[in-house]
Amino acid sequence: MSTGTLTIDLDALAANWRALDAINTGETAAVVKADAYGLGAARVARRLLREGARSFFVAIAEEGAALREIVGPESSIHVFSGHMPGDADMIADCNLVPMINSVDQMIRHAEALPGHGFGIQLDSGMNRLGMEPAEWQAVREIALAQGPRLIMSHLACADEPDHAMNARQLRSFHEMTEGLDIPRSLANTGAILLHRDYHFDLARPGIGVYGGAPFTDAQPVVTLDLPVIQCRDLEPGETVGYGNDFAATRPTRIATVAAGYADGILRAMGPRTQLYAEDTPCPIAGRISMDLIGVDVTDLGHDPASLRLLGPEQGIDVLAANAGTIGYEILTSLGARYSRRHIGA
Ligand SMILES: *Cc1c(COP(=O)(O)O)cnc(C)c1O
């Protein structure tokens, strides 16, 4: 087999969800958009259901429809993109809760599915999705008359605890929702960790469940092992890979592993990233290719059968820092070619 093996530890994932649930003062949902950040929405949702999660969030109605098959009829499934043209049948058939984010969507929903449950999404300053204060003010009475099930907003800077934006958005959310007898939701992972003032009735963690920052106490969830296809000796002066980026300065042993940037191993991480043979770090030699990576295994003293890119010794946030990005992008870039193995199911 020449594909990498992506191992997803569902016990660690469950422990992360429980740890966030223990900090959170309200109900704890789970965000499983983008195939649960690339880790397999079906397996993730089934496990979190067993842990007690009863509310799920997805980005688009199609994800919600697939999730309904997994979680059964009892759980609530909320759709961040709200009610888009063409979504009515899916929303009705799969009993999804669209998080309505504009007057247009509200009209579309009321016309297509009168009486069908929905939520309201407010923009408290991020300027991304949701009704702004003035728009909300204008339609508030009409919306409330139809009995929304949840009112939510989203923070722009929750992973920066000292950022003044957090308090500003909290104040705006309070102003827009004060006195309403409807469950409220503001917190993602970062906001759960900020302060209980941000928790409200329902929190929506994603990245922390999957083992990423800003939940620094999270257990690592993913391990990625890449098979070695070939090993070779280099004389000093010989080079490796495109652009001759690596040149041997000593007799060198190079292992070539079967994965590359087409598998989400971003080229930018190359110069700072190592692969591990058990506990021994082996630096990447030369540029990351589409399907192959050269690794300097000289100091290892033997030819490994496989090398580990992601694991407890080097997690998603280390790779993210090496590539100048965030753990979210490392996870959601994980390639379709890996064989995915879920343990602790
Ligand atoms: C993705 C998302 C979340 C989850 O955020 P994390 O930072 O991954 O915890 C919560 N709410 C909204 C609106 C989102 O788009």
Side-chain angles (χ1 to χ4, degrees):
M1 190 171 76
S2 65
T3 70
T5 301
L6 184 68
T7 305
I8 296 133
D9 184 345
L10 294 172
D11 287 335
L13 180 134
N16 291 339
W17 185 84
R18 286 196 308 266
L20 289 167
D21 185 45
I23 299 166
N24 180 31
T25 52
E27 183 190 342
T28 307
V31 178
V32 295
K33 63 193 180 193
D35 200 26
Y37 293 35
L39 300 187
R43 304 297 295 267
V44 165
R46 205 175 288 137
R47 178 58 191 263
L48 292 179
L49 201 59
R50 236 172 69 201
E51 299 299 323
R54 287 298 174 267
S55 298
F56 297 88
F57 287 83
V58 292
I60 57 175
E62 285 79 359
E63 292 176 336
L67 186 63
R68 178 57 75 200
E69 306 277 310
I70 306 302
V71 300
E74 303 295 331
S75 299
S76 55
I77 300 175
H78 307 80
V79 181
F80 287 137
S81 62
H83 189 140
M84 293 290 283
D87 280 357
D89 285 349
M90 237 178 324
I91 290 171
D93 295 349
C94 302
N95 191 21
L96 309 178
V97 181
M99 300 305 297
I100 300 297
N101 51 57
S102 68
V103 172
D104 282 352
Q105 285 208 348
M106 203 153 83
I107 294 167
R108 182 181 300 132
H109 185 71
E111 286 180 355
L113 301 173
H116 183 98
F118 67 98
I120 296 285
Q121 196 163 183
L122 301 175
D123 192 287
S124 53
M126 190 177 183
N127 286 310
R128 190 178 70 166
L129 208 55
M131 291 185 240
E132 300 201 0
E135 192 178 10
W136 174 231
Q137 194 57 41
V139 296
R140 195 180 138 112
E141 292 314 315
I142 301 164
L144 293 176
Q146 297 166 63
R149 290 167 53 168
L150 184 70
I151 299 195
M152 64 162 276
S153 189
H154 191 51
L155 298 181
C157 305
D159 55 347
E160 297 177 61
D162 297 329
H163 203 298
M165 185 67 168
N166 294 319
R168 253 194 334 262
Q169 288 195 261
L170 179 62
R171 203 175 325 116
S172 168
F173 190 57
H174 270 296
E175 283 165 9
M176 286 191 278
T177 61
E178 219 46 85
L180 300 181
D181 192 20
I182 298 160
R184 290 184 287 182
S185 176
L186 181 61
N188 64 344
T189 300
I192 291 174
L193 301 171
L194 270 182
H195 190 273
R196 57 180 300 160
D197 287 352
Y198 291 84
H199 293 176
F200 293 92
D201 302 291
L202 181 74
R204 316 180 304 268
I207 192 71
V209 178
Y210 306 112
F215 189 27
T216 43
D217 293 338
Q219 295 186 25
V221 172
V222 289
T223 308
L224 178 58
D225 293 297
L226 306 175
V228 172
I229 309 179
Q230 193 182 18
C231 293
R232 75 182 66 246
D233 290 315
L234 269 62
E235 300 293 335
E238 286 194 276
T239 58
V240 176
Y242 288 118
N244 291 0
D245 255 22
F246 175 92
T249 55
R250 55 171 179 168
T252 297
R253 187 78 177 158
I254 295 291
T256 302
V257 300
Y261 61 76
D263 303 293
I265 303 173
L266 309 177
R267 281 171 89 255
M269 74 174 63
R272 279 171 291 278
T273 299
Q274 337 223 345
L275 277 74
Y276 283 78
E278 308 291 339
D279 295 334
T280 307
C282 308
I284 288 178
R287 291 186 197 161
I288 294 171
S289 305
M290 188 183 293
D291 318 294
L292 299 167
I293 302 172
V295 183
D296 185 344
V297 295
T298 313
D299 294 332
L300 189 59
H302 70 270
D303 291 348
S306 69
L307 288 162
R308 176 166 287 185
L309 179 67
L310 269 172
E313 50 292 294
Q314 177 173 259
I316 56 173
D317 293 306
V318 173
L319 289 192
N322 292 354
T325 182
I326 53 177
Y328 300 72
E329 192 179 17
I330 297 294
L331 284 180
T332 55
S333 300
L334 291 168
R337 292 194 290 199
Y338 300 133
S339 79
R340 282 165 162 74
R341 199 164 64 95
H342 292 81
I343 58 172

